[in-house]
Amino acid sequence: VEYVITDLRNASFSGADDAVFKSSIAELRLPDTVKTLSTNCAKGCGTMTNLVLSSNLESIGSATFSSCAALKNVTPFLPPSFCTLANAFSQSPVTNRLSIGKVGKPVTMSGNTFHSSGFTEMEIFGELPSIGSGGSAFGGSISLRRIWVHGGPIAISSGAFENAGEGAQVWFVPAADEA
């Protein structure tokens, strides 16, 4: 019997009650069959340094990779099929550049999605109606330097970049330049 995994449920790898399990994950590789990562899926995996995402990922639940203190690399960035993200990488020191979404497809980013994360640059493709809705999306992300938003316009809430990197810039690239 072969099983196909399409959804990792709440706290699948967080190991909240099992410190040995929680501290034993160094790398998490998600097969392309996975489309959904539910709330707290890998929250607090303190030794995980690498995360390889499914190329068919559509949704990352709240706090999925938050407080992953050793997480440095996320590949292959967030896939073009991706559309929903909520508080997913807060308090994780990921340092690589992140790309999100696909031109012409909506992207939902709410709450404290990248709050106090280590991302330095981000490129957002797709229709992003707002940054920071319901929280401080990039607040406390002191390493943040640049974000490119393809297709704008978007609304940016007052606390979206509170205490983020000094001189952090948001660049809007008109949709006409996407040809």
Side-chain angles (χ1 to χ4, degrees), residues 66-127:
S66 70
S67 301
C68 291
L71 185 59
K72 297 289 185 193
N73 297 300
V74 177
T75 55
F77 309 117
L78 293 176
S81 61
F82 177 79
C83 61
T84 304
L85 184 67
N87 300 337
F89 291 94
S90 65
Q91 299 176 353
S92 290
V94 180
T95 56
N96 62 316
R97 180 177 175 165
L98 185 69
S99 294
I100 300 174
K102 181 178 183 180
V103 174
K105 185 168 183 167
V107 174
T108 303
M109 182 169 59
S110 62
N112 299 326
T113 304
F114 300 102
H115 188 273
S116 298
S117 70
F119 289 105
T120 57
E121 295 184 342
M122 184 167 298
E123 196 158 14
I124 301 171
F125 298 91
E127 300 166 10

Side-chain angles (χ1 to χ4, degrees), residues 30-34 52-58 76 78-82:
L30 301 174
D32 286 341
T33 56
V34 175
V52 180
L53 297 171
S54 160
S55 63
N56 294 312
L57 194 59
E58 295 175 358
L78 293 176
S81 61
F82 177 79

